[in-house]
Amino acid sequence: MSVSCDARFFPAELKASAETLAKPAAEALYAIRDGSCAGGEWTGWFDWPRKSGERLAADIKEYIGKLDVYYDLVLVIGIGGSYLGTRAVSEALSHSYGIALGKAGRHARRPAIVYAGHHLSEAGLVELLDLLEERQPIVNVISKSGTTTEPAVAFRVVRHYMEKRFGKAESSRRIIATTDKSKGALRRLAEEAHYKTFDVPDDVGGRFSVLTAVGLVPLALATLDIERLVSGADEIFRALREGDPGDHPALRYAALRTAAYRSGKKIELLATGEPRLQYLIEWWKQLFGESEGKDGKGLFTAGLNYTTDLHSLGQYVQDGERILLETFLEVEQPGGEGGAGVERRIRVPHLQGDADGLGYLEQRFLGEVNAAALLGTRLAHADGGVPCLQLGVPRLDERTIGQLIAFFETACGVSGALLGVNPYDQPGVEAYKKNLFGLLGKPGFEDLGATLRRRL
Ligand code: PA5
């Protein structure tokens, strides 16, 4: 059981062109495996579960088992790769209304994870503080560089709040910092305040870091099964780490999307019929967008939630500019979260008189209706000139999400190599950061600030 890649609705000429990329894709994988690719010093994510992830997951579980504070809410402060992976996993596997459900009894839920430091909205932070006030929070501040403005500002505010509410000593037990092992402002702050710290490995970039402490600590705090997540990822890496990967679906996906790009497609849409996968799509958008969008190249990555978006952007996909490639992310048995072995399914009920005309759907599962809508969409979009791919997993659990993470990370590394870029840097992100510093008067950026203001 693994991630499947189905190219039935991909044009024959693009499939043929992807086949010619099979050898370069395999060579790209070998270069990732031995670190000889562009940005090879950042390929620690490959085979991470076996190298360090499994041991780390066990250590984190042990640490959390010994925590001496009660908490019912996990606050993650971070941006980009420092929060998106956690959110992708957590939202895919937690009850969508977990935060609104009771804390005890039949509806007892795991501690919810909430997020800060991924925007600069004052109103957003005010509301978050309202929520903290109602709960017993534990805070995980995450920044590899330790100097990113958004999480640094949010952490200052949250730290101030925590110290006022709990006092310095208890706050120190309620704050965990995940950052570079030796440098950066967050490392210094954490050491001064005696926070528990976890390291972001030197050889893993932010958007590839979900299986390191960056994702594993908050996910374990929220009682998700991080060992299964890591071992699910290892199942994919195991098939890729030795010998000939053959026609592995991750390499196939990389080759197919590359063939579409070379044929003139500019945008890849990742579409799902499961709202709980929305943040997996956000994580995928960053993974591929930030890795490949450079040197004037790369597919722009965007996400669609079906069937919702069939009533908004569906028209464009069907009939607008033919610059799109569409990848459907499908779950065979999406089910509901939890349920302790109890089947949680919905059949379309009987309606006396059939006034809404839905009698033909009576007693059929809603999942069947959703699957038909997605298949119908795939056929329609393929007929409309959009090359369509389908990636699939049998169900959503820690194991399959771990598999998807390893699948997409590998596909991204290979695809970036086929594109001829270094997928592990992000020079383009610096431009806005410098302008922000200039406009806010950060020491050292005064001249840039003056230049920018003259343009206003
Ligand atoms: O993928 C990346 O490297 C980025 O998205 C970073 O994760 C993001 O900019 C946050 O950086 P940091 O963890 O240093 O605060």
Side-chain angles (χ1 to χ4, degrees), residues 253-303:
Y253 169 54
L256 287 160
R257 69 193 297 283
T258 302
Y261 175 68
R262 289 187 184 174
S263 80
K265 301 302 175 193
K266 302 285 181 212
I267 296 171
E268 181 177 4
L269 303 167
L270 187 62
T272 178
E274 287 304 317
R276 60 177 57 238
L277 289 181
Q278 187 188 337
Y279 269 87
L280 195 88
I281 291 182
E282 293 301 319
W283 171 82
W284 169 90
K285 276 162 62 178
Q286 187 210 357
L287 181 67
F288 281 83
E290 206 165 73
S291 299
E292 294 198 320
K294 51 194 71 158
D295 307 337
K297 304 191 223 178
L299 283 163
F300 183 82
T301 47

Side-chain angles (χ1 to χ4, degrees), residues 73-313:
L73 186 80
V74 181
L75 171 60
V76 167
I77 302 179
I79 195 166
S82 287
Y83 97 105
L84 274 170
T86 299
R87 195 159 186 175
V89 178
S90 161
E91 299 207 358
L93 300 179
S94 306
H95 196 293
S96 309
Y97 301 106
I99 200 147
L101 291 169
K103 285 186 248 168
R106 202 160 71 85
H107 292 303
R109 297 289 162 197
R110 54 172 62 108
I113 311 185
V114 293
Y115 304 87
H118 57 297
H119 57 70
L120 286 166
S121 160
E122 196 167 336
L125 203 48
V126 167
E127 289 180 359
L128 179 86
L129 292 174
D130 288 342
L131 177 66
L132 296 191
E133 192 61 19
E134 297 298 316
R135 301 294 177 106
Q136 298 291 322
I138 192 158
V139 177
N140 187 191
V141 52
I142 307 168
S143 177
K144 181 174 168 72
S145 64
T147 52
T148 308
T149 306
E150 291 90 336
V153 169
F155 181 52
R156 234 193 216 218
V157 173
V158 169
R159 177 188 167 143
H160 182 75
Y161 166 80
M162 295 290 282
E163 289 182 355
K164 237 173 108 190
R165 176 168 162 193
F166 296 103
K168 270 195 188 318
E170 186 171 339
S171 294
S172 292
R173 298 207 309 278
R174 284 183 178 271
I175 296 174
I176 301 165
T178 306
T179 189
D180 185 274
K181 69 175 182 306
S182 53
K183 56 181 191 302
L186 182 56
R187 171 58 58 182
R188 278 197 305 280
L189 268 176
E191 280 170 4
E192 271 168 32
H194 306 292
Y195 301 147
K196 169 72 182 168
T197 60
F198 287 93
D199 300 344
V200 187
D202 288 341
D203 56 357
V204 182
R207 56 192 173 275
F208 289 82
S209 70
V210 53
L211 298 175
T212 71
V214 169
L216 297 188
V217 171
L219 292 168
L221 285 166
T223 72
L224 283 140
D225 187 345
I226 56 170
E227 283 165 333
R228 258 170 79 76
L229 183 76
V230 167
S231 67
D234 187 57
E235 287 176 41
I236 298 287
F237 287 130
R238 201 182 309 146
L240 291 163
R241 73 181 162 228
E242 282 151 18
D244 177 2
D247 191 23
H248 192 281
L251 270 58
R252 198 144 173 262
Y253 169 54
L256 287 160
R257 69 193 297 283
T258 302
Y261 175 68
R262 289 187 184 174
S263 80
K265 301 302 175 193
K266 302 285 181 212
I267 296 171
E268 181 177 4
L269 303 167
L270 187 62
T272 178
E274 287 304 317
R276 60 177 57 238
L277 289 181
Q278 187 188 337
Y279 269 87
L280 195 88
I281 291 182
E282 293 301 319
W283 171 82
W284 169 90
K285 276 162 62 178
Q286 187 210 357
L287 181 67
F288 281 83
E290 206 165 73
S291 299
E292 294 198 320
K294 51 194 71 158
D295 307 337
K297 304 191 223 178
L299 283 163
F300 183 82
T301 47
L304 291 174
N305 288 302
Y306 289 154
T307 61
T308 314
D309 287 329
L310 290 174
H311 298 263
S312 63
L313 291 170

